[in-house]
Amino acid sequence: MPDRRKFVKLSLLTSVALLINKRSNASTSTDSQPVVTKDSPIVISTWDFGAVANAAAWDILKKKGRALDAVEAGVMIPEADPDNHSVGLGGLPDRDGRVTLDACIMDENYRCGSVMCLEHIVHAISVARKVMENTPHVILAGDGALQFALANGFKKENLLTPASEKLWKAWLKRSQYKPEINSENKYQHLPGDIHNHDTIGMLAMDSTGNLSGACTTSGLAYKMHGRVGDSPVIGAGLFVDNEIGAATSTGVGEEVIRIVGSHLVVELMRQGLSPADACRKAVERILKYNPVKSKEVQVGFLAMNKKGEYGAFALQPGFTYAVKSGHEENTYASKSYY
Ligand code: SD4
């Protein structure tokens, strides 16, 4: 019988250990409940035009709405703006004259949805949200994404506005692919210029302290057909971890994808860095592997932590971001390496 006694003793010990473990898990999840800070709700987004997008998000946040609803509504503003040539309707096309959109969305529970190379649908972000909510998948691309959108009631539209078409035709004469670092004239595009830094990335914390993010773009102008940037890639163009914070990016997507930029920024915040320092370290990672190329391209990161603190950093001067909370409404120039 000694063996049996040993077994009973062992199972008893195991049960106690399991119980303790269960208790400590329970307390961990209590600890990770949303922390409501004096800064929530708050919404931040990339570039100057983020201010009008923030206003739409704020309408939801101020009524104690959900961060996920706020970021979707916010980025829908530039998506529908025909004068914004880097997002949604009026976005500059690829080199074949096709407007292809990239977008993704992520909520407080690691749920995410994305569309890549989607044509003919203005609100790519809402299609991405439907992918998240109505399918077992995270990403739909190309014709599959379009068919899914149409089956879900989205309207097929021509996204190539006369103004964008004119710019594309002017570019065709030279057909040179050289992305501009920043556009000095936010909405003005000189014939032949490649103005491509207007992706909107938006991060919000709602009144319960939950975080969500959205990112939507027509991508780099005059790209090869089928090219996908960082914006719809979860971890690259956007990442949200409700215990730590959220980050988004803008600029030349290839450089961001290489370092899985937004995920990197969130993980650096997990290690204790402030949002601005985490963004700076991610930019330095890009510099480290390619110092020569880094002089010629723009990349900017924007981040927020669970305390509602925010910050940004870019390779080049010129990156701006907009902030709206209960006690501030501002647009800031990001610090930059150069
Ligand atoms: C892309 N990151 O497709 C996007 C472009 C962009 O501001 O951010 N423009 O690579």
Side-chain angles (χ1 to χ4, degrees):
M1 285 296 141
D3 271 1
R4 191 182 140 74
R5 218 174 289 141
K6 228 189 204 164
F7 173 76
V8 172
K9 205 171 153 193
L10 199 71
S11 358
L12 253 169
L13 279 175
T14 315
S15 317
V16 172
L18 277 176
L19 206 74
I20 292 170
N21 199 15
K22 218 172 157 192
R23 285 232 176 96
S24 70
N25 279 346
S27 78
T28 309
S29 69
T30 314
D31 290 343
S32 68
Q33 286 300 303
V35 183
V36 184
T37 73
K38 66 174 169 45
D39 290 324
S40 73
I42 178 169
V43 57
I44 60 177
S45 58
T46 53
W47 302 107
D48 291 9
F49 66 84
V52 281
N54 285 355
W58 185 252
D59 280 345
I60 292 175
L61 293 172
K62 74 177 180 208
K63 292 182 207 139
K64 299 199 184 317
R66 193 176 167 204
L68 184 73
D69 294 327
V71 293
E72 181 188 7
V75 303
M76 284 171 79
I77 301 295
E79 278 186 339
D81 179 357
D83 294 329
N84 184 322
H85 291 300
S86 294
V87 184
L89 177 69
L92 289 174
D94 64 21
R95 65 185 188 184
D96 301 337
R98 295 163 76 163
V99 181
T100 65
L101 306 182
D102 290 341
C104 75
I105 193 159
M106 190 162 186
D107 77 0
E108 73 278 11
N109 293 314
Y110 265 69
R111 297 193 323 147
C112 42
S114 154
V115 287
M116 297 178 173
C117 211
L118 171 68
E119 292 180 79
H120 307 302
I121 307 290
V122 175
H123 292 301
I125 198 65
S126 303
V127 185
R129 182 166 177 176
K130 284 245 180 313
V131 172
M132 172 175 101
E133 291 178 337
N134 297 357
T135 80
H137 308 305
V138 168
I139 304 169
L140 289 180
D143 192 49
L146 175 61
Q147 295 316 320
F148 172 75
L150 297 176
N152 278 275
F154 288 85
K155 210 170 97 215
K156 191 168 179 177
E157 286 177 56
N158 175 18
L159 304 183
L160 188 65
T161 56
S164 293
E165 189 172 9
K166 203 167 146 208
L167 289 163
W168 167 60
K169 288 198 169 141
W171 174 81
L172 273 181
K173 288 187 193 134
R174 281 194 288 155
S175 291
Q176 258 172 19
Y177 187 80
K178 193 170 179 301
E180 241 186 33
I181 281 181
N182 287 309
S183 170
E184 296 304 320
N185 323 314
K186 280 179 279 310
Y187 296 96
Q188 299 300 312
H189 300 270
L190 306 171
D193 273 357
I194 302 185
H195 169 87
N196 53 30
H197 295 299
D198 278 351
T199 290
I200 184 144
M202 177 178 279
L203 311 171
M205 179 160 61
D206 61 30
S207 54
T208 70
N210 278 331
L211 296 167
S212 286
C215 187
T216 179
T217 187
S218 53
L220 293 186
Y222 320 130
K223 59 196 174 186
M224 288 172 72
H225 181 65
R227 179 265 186 190
V228 171
D230 57 323
S231 308
V233 179
I234 298 292
L238 177 74
F239 195 67
V240 178
D241 182 315
N242 205 42
E243 288 187 6
I244 305 299
T248 189
S249 64
T250 182
V252 176
E254 281 75 2
E255 308 313 314
V256 178
I257 292 171
R258 275 186 244 284
I259 61 156
V260 199
S262 292
H263 182 262
L264 175 61
V265 171
V266 171
E267 291 309 303
L268 289 165
M269 290 195 287
R270 193 190 303 278
Q271 290 169 25
L273 266 63
S274 70
D277 284 348
C279 292
R280 181 177 47 78
K281 277 252 182 264
V283 164
E284 284 169 2
R285 185 77 60 89
I286 293 174
L287 272 152
K288 193 173 161 195
Y289 77 75
N290 202 338
V292 177
K293 182 105 178 269
S294 294
K295 289 196 180 119
E296 293 160 14
V297 297
Q298 174 65 303
V299 169
F301 289 105
L302 176 66
M304 183 199 292
N305 66 17
K306 271 304 264 194
K307 292 188 217 151
E309 297 163 342
Y310 54 82
F313 201 81
L315 264 173
Q316 314 288 342
F319 173 42
T320 59
Y321 61 98
V323 179
K324 171 81 185 130
S325 73
H327 61 272
E328 81 157 310
E329 183 166 358
N330 279 318
T331 301
Y332 294 101
S334 164
K335 286 194 179 144
S336 61
Y337 183 83
Y338 289 110

